Amino acid sequence: MPSTRYLSTPHRTPNSSDTEQLETPPRKRFREVDEDSSAYTPRSPRKRQCTESPKKQQKDFDLAHLLRNCLVEPTNHTAIMQLKDIPKDENISQYLVQRVINIAKTSVLDCFDTAKGKLLETELYLEWLNELDYVISAVDIALNAKMPGTRRRVSGLGRLSFTILFQLVDDFVSEVNNHHDTWYQSSLESCPLYPATMTLVEESKDPSTDVRSDAAVRLAEECLKNIDRVMSDAVRRYKVECGRNNPSLARRIAVLEHTLAKSCCLLCEQTGYGGDDDDIGDTLMQETKNVMSQWKREYEDCEDQLVDSDAGHNS
């Protein structure tokens, strides 16, 4: 009887009877490979499409330009909507705000008149705040902008407005701290964005510095109060738009409120802004910190009520 070892036998489905149709195993598909070519690695059409398609370029945003457009044309709905196109990525927001800070510092340096002598530190920081005032005004305009032909405000600007202002304050304090701690150790050439500033020794020898410093502190505090007013509105809008049933965001706001309080304390220590008996900067950004703290407390109260409710059901 001839051997059937090398004959392919149709596969019979499990538990099938002799009367059922036989199931032929699927044929394997082979790809022809050139002898000189390297080993072939199969790729799915989806993967091949992803690797071969060109990468989408990230759109470059000029935050300073967008904000100035809002300031120049407050009723221009297009300018407001362009702000909403900024990605939610926090790294991008930090980068854009840092560029705004650098533009302000450069502008102050360009306008510095060496013939008038050196600035006080408090005067320099005041000049930075004055250059950044357009940011505050533009964000205020955006928060109060209405949809064309309606009395309804443009939605979706709470998170962006808060992010811009929080990052602006945080970066401003960092710039003040960096200048305060390091500028006198370097030459003007190595610190191109710092105009000539008096040292503490030079201030002590000039009798006019006390009056100048007090005036600079008072004006800077007014600038910070304006930032506080707009930023507190941004926090309220952020809460309305994104804070409902969002415990993770409430926890994040609590962390940011603590960070803001530390920044205010450092700013007060370095400049005297918001100084009081304790010199911890409690009066700086006070309204914003209160709104953020209230947000955090409301979330904590809700959690406590849920815990009490669960305990009542289990008892």
Side-chain angles (χ1 to χ4, degrees):
M1 180 177 182
S3 173
T4 58
R5 179 179 179 182
Y6 299 103
L7 295 179
S8 60
T9 304
H11 176 68
R12 193 185 300 272
T13 57
N15 302 324
S16 63
S17 64
D18 293 339
T19 59
E20 292 178 338
Q21 292 184 351
L22 297 178
E23 184 178 270
T24 303
R27 297 178 59 188
K28 294 183 179 180
R29 296 182 178 179
F30 296 92
R31 180 185 180 90
E32 295 182 0
V33 182
D34 296 337
E35 295 180 358
D36 297 334
S37 63
S38 58
Y40 169 73
T41 302
R43 293 186 300 174
S44 65
R46 181 183 296 274
K47 185 176 181 180
R48 184 165 59 250
Q49 182 180 5
C50 293
T51 56
E52 293 176 356
S53 60
K55 293 183 179 180
K56 184 179 180 180
Q57 294 183 349
Q58 180 68 49
K59 184 179 179 180
D60 186 26
F61 291 88
D62 186 344
L63 180 59
H65 178 71
L66 294 176
L67 292 172
R68 290 189 187 278
N69 285 345
C70 296
L71 194 61
V72 172
E73 300 181 83
T75 59
N76 187 345
H77 183 68
T78 301
I80 303 297
M81 298 306 293
Q82 286 177 341
L83 284 176
K84 296 181 64 173
D85 292 337
I86 296 178
K88 295 183 179 181
D89 190 329
E90 290 189 4
N91 292 328
I92 295 178
S93 299
Q94 292 175 4
Y95 169 71
L96 295 177
V97 173
Q98 186 59 55
R99 281 172 56 179
V100 169
I101 294 279
N102 289 337
I103 291 172
K105 291 168 59 180
T106 302
S107 179
V108 170
L109 179 62
D110 293 341
C111 297
F112 175 66
D113 187 357
T114 56
K116 294 183 179 180
K118 295 181 178 180
L119 292 171
L120 302 179
E121 284 186 320
T122 51
E123 291 175 333
L124 173 61
Y125 309 148
L126 171 62
E127 292 299 324
W128 288 351
L129 286 173
N130 287 335
E131 282 297 322
L132 294 170
D133 183 65
Y134 77 94
V135 177
I136 316 305
S137 300
V139 171
D140 192 20
I141 290 172
L143 286 172
N144 290 283
K146 303 292 195 303
M147 294 294 294
T150 70
R151 301 175 61 182
R152 184 165 52 90
R153 290 181 177 178
V154 178
S155 62
L157 290 171
R159 181 203 60 81
L160 175 65
S161 300
F162 171 76
T163 301
I164 290 175
L165 294 182
F166 182 90
Q167 196 62 46
L168 187 78
V169 172
D170 193 63
D171 285 356
F172 171 74
V173 175
S174 296
E175 292 292 343
V176 169
N177 187 53
N178 291 338
H179 177 268
H180 185 274
D181 289 346
T182 63
W183 75 268
Y184 58 87
Q185 300 175 358
S186 307
S187 63
L188 184 61
E189 289 75 14
S190 61
C191 299
L193 296 184
Y194 295 155
T197 314
M198 283 188 180
T199 63
L200 294 178
V201 175
E202 291 174 329
E203 288 186 24
S204 65
K205 295 179 180 180
D206 188 341
S208 68
T209 55
D210 288 341
V211 176
R212 291 170 56 187
S213 180
D214 289 342
V217 168
R218 177 176 55 81
L219 294 174
E221 288 174 346
E222 291 180 4
C223 292
L224 292 170
K225 285 182 180 178
N226 188 41
I227 297 175
D228 186 27
R229 176 184 63 82
V230 179
M231 189 170 173
S232 61
D233 288 342
V235 175
R236 295 185 184 96
R237 178 75 71 84
Y238 192 14
K239 179 182 176 183
V240 169
E241 294 179 348
C242 306
R244 183 174 300 176
N245 299 325
N246 195 340
S248 61
L249 181 56
R251 286 191 291 267
R252 173 168 171 73
I253 289 296
V255 173
L256 294 179
E257 189 273 332
H258 181 67
T259 301
L260 180 61
K262 290 173 59 178
S263 297
C264 292
C265 181
L266 177 60
L267 184 62
C268 178
E269 178 185 338
Q270 301 286 43
T271 64
Y273 299 166
D276 49 24
D277 295 336
D278 296 327
D279 284 337
I280 58 176
D282 279 347
T283 60
L284 296 177
M285 309 301 295
Q286 190 171 26
E287 185 176 358
T288 298
K289 290 185 292 186
N290 288 340
V291 174
M292 297 174 75
S293 296
Q294 182 181 2
W295 187 346
K296 175 185 66 174
R297 286 194 301 270
E298 289 177 359
Y299 164 71
E300 291 174 345
D301 292 342
C302 290
E303 277 200 329
D304 293 340
Q305 292 175 6
L306 290 175
V307 171
D308 294 341
S309 176
D310 291 341
H313 287 302
N314 295 331
S315 60

